[in-house]
Amino acid sequence: MGQKLVEAVSDLTRTEQAPKLALEELEVTALDGLFADLCVGAVEGREKDLWNLLRLCQQLGSGQTSPLNLRSSRDDLDRAAIPIFTASSVTPEIAIHLDGRFTDRKADQRRDVLELCLALAEGCRVYLVATGQAGRVLWKSHRDHLPVSVTDPFDPRVSPTPGTPRLIADRVEDARETLDPDGTATAVLRALRGENSEMLSYDDLSRELRLSEANRRQVGLKLDRDLGLAERVDYPGDERGLSLRKAGLEYLKALDSEIGKQGRLPSVRDPPNPSEYSRVNPHTQDRGDGTEADREREEQAEAEGDAVAGTAEYLPKHVQPVYAETPAVEAARAAAHSGEIALVDAPIQMLKGRDGDRDDRVMGWSYDDARDEITVSATYTNPMQYTTCIARALASPWTWNRVLTEDVLEDLFATHSRRILSDARNIGGLSAERYEDPRLFIEFYQDQEQRLCELTRELANGDYTDESAKRGEITQFAKGLAGSIVQLLDLAGVDLSREVRLPEFSRNWSESHRRRTLCRTLAHSCAVESLYGHHVTYRHLYEQREARREAAMGLTVDARDPIGEFVGSLVVVGPGVSDLEDELRSALRSPGDLHDDAPEIGVCIPIRTTATRSAIAQAVRRLCERKGLEPTREAVSLFQAFVATSYDVARAMYYGLRREDRSRGIHIDEVRRALATLDPARLLADGDVALSMQQALSVLLGADHPLSGAEIARRAGITTQSFRENRKGFVLAALLREAPGGWRLSLSFNDERYGGDVLPWFFVDEPDGRPLVPSLDLRSRMDVLYELATSLVDDPARFGDPDDVLCWAFTLPDRDDPEAIADHRQAAIDALVEEWPWLGSVLPVIEGAAKSSGPDPAYDPVLMGSTVEQQALPQSAGGRSDRLRVGTRV
């Protein structure tokens, strides 16, 4: 269990800048804080703390004196391991054996043991392995303290002996013939399954499912006496309730496996309310036969926030916000500046819930205190699911406890009038009373988040007359909640980043209506969360309801600066998502119909589809800060050369480097080792490189000494012939060379750290033996290619022959036409690759080295809103033109 605890603490604290703070929030206070100190030390790599933590875990909560001369009581488990496992995605499995020693104990001692088992079950998978005698004692004396599905195997009434009323299989079959899968009785069973204890009191059932006293008693009798799916029990606190039996659990499993396709969003609740649950009502989307009527229904569904796209096969369960993974947070932050959108072609997974399962209903949250940055993340499946997840992430208790605290809101309200907040910023619920008391304001928004959960529960339980209208109601409610919190974050000076995950985009997003709906959803959110001064642009540009427009504060347009801003950044990540660029641009240009009196204002939103040097440099800088390192130009160039996105950089550095106690520059061999931790397919992903060579490169990056061709092939799982056939370009470019003992990359080994960096010549400012090569500040990829060409071509006359591709490639057109020069250089590179096919494999490395200076290439921003003719957007002066930044030099 000790090792699992270390994994859980690492999983939990790797998203926190201050691990100690994360443990304090979970009230991990066992042994006067010593346990938390050891956890932090173990995560940070202090072996002594790790060893003491493992020793302490062996006696934690035993009542005995610990190895550190501290007495550990039973309560220490509640203040140590249990909250950590509950909050993390690591779920250990514990088998507890009950035999004669258990039955020989007094009843109150047995209850203490079972209470400990239930406490552990909050964060672990606990299996009770009982002998026959112990099992009979469990059923006879303790079935009111345990889930019935645990004690059912020991119930003599359901044993497979002659005279048994009904076996479990018979009960399941009867239930499937008798119960409505969407009815009240099935909803009660789902509610019971949603609890750790698999029990609920009648009062809880009445609140959750809105059952009358007579109805709940009738359902209880039916499930217990008639069907044997649940059992009426004495619930703690002198109440009566129901407990799920094994047959009830099997009945739900049978329903789930039979129906298969499930609605995509359950109602979800935040801790610390373990009795609240989330469920999903089975729902199958009829795609129609492609007729005009079907298309009209699709368009209407999209407008109402429906468009259920895709299906899933998963079980109902708790769905709560989780801390987003650190590499993804840092990568998203590096991919787009505030006010920008980035489409990042990188593999991504759904977020992992607190139970360890990846699920598209899980929402991620992260906050960096030092940088005052908040990041929210969600997988996109359909408009309602995505919008609700983002809204719930923004409205999570963590936001109110750490970001938009009472003190922050008090300062914010003191600075801005209620009219600006309500009528210009469109922040809802700001009554005079709540404006004066931020505590009441926070409570109101917490209630709104709960109301959003109630709406999704109503959808899950079929409590509606029109499903599309219900989904539209939920979507609009979530948009309003999210929009208000975005405005509060902006006023508080908190930098917001939203990450949209599309894990299966390259496989399951070929249907045009799904892509169109996705782009419309994102564009609408951008319009709602954009500003001109203090004014929400959507209301002034696209709001068709005249009463709403009249309620807004009057807008005065500055003709010299008619451009507004998109609040925060938006990063869409998934394999192949850059293919959405044209559709997203179209949706952003017109997220709605401009009303007749729309002012001449717009919002300029740059869209990035490639990882610029500034994005890679930003990722390196942010991860270096976390690791106690300082970035270098060489490190940025190497990452730019070998990988395609900030996500690759963040993963490599986060998992491949350890934290340093004293700040220093990052070494070349550390970059090499970090790159070796990536999936080989992510190395030179933009180049024309065979997978076998990517695998060989991964092996070479991870090696600390030269390797023979046979050893490289063995470690990479490829043939030696494949390595020989694909290494040519790397050898000719001096990236790979043969050395005593075998092959190596031209990157420093560990033992070469202090003898001068080992790098390919085109990464060096003044390479030996190449006096005509420009310095790094002036060097372009064409300079590198020309140097390569002169070293490979035996006949120098080719460079003076107008009919030779080499002469044409390295002769520039009119120097006063930058666009013509850029076009010529790209055509020249294509021609050189055709001349030397091996060049395509190493071209990304050459380009990465040559991008060591200068601004990022220009990009074409999208103008959302009314056409503004007074101003050329990319060259706009003053006002908000600084958002059209072109990056930084590293």
Side-chain angles (χ1 to χ4, degrees), residues 12-65:
L12 176 67
T13 61
R14 71 186 182 193
T15 60
E16 290 293 318
Q17 185 182 22
K20 182 72 172 179
L21 177 62
L23 298 182
E24 287 177 356
E25 286 189 352
L26 295 174
E27 298 184 356
V28 179
T29 59
L31 301 176
D32 295 327
L34 175 62
F35 185 86
D37 291 339
L38 292 177
C39 288
V40 173
V43 169
E44 292 180 349
R46 294 194 285 272
E47 294 186 2
K48 184 176 180 181
D49 287 347
L50 174 60
W51 177 245
N52 284 332
L53 180 64
L54 295 175
R55 295 170 62 204
L56 181 60
C57 286
Q58 296 176 2
Q59 292 181 285
L60 189 67
S62 65
Q64 303 176 9
T65 300

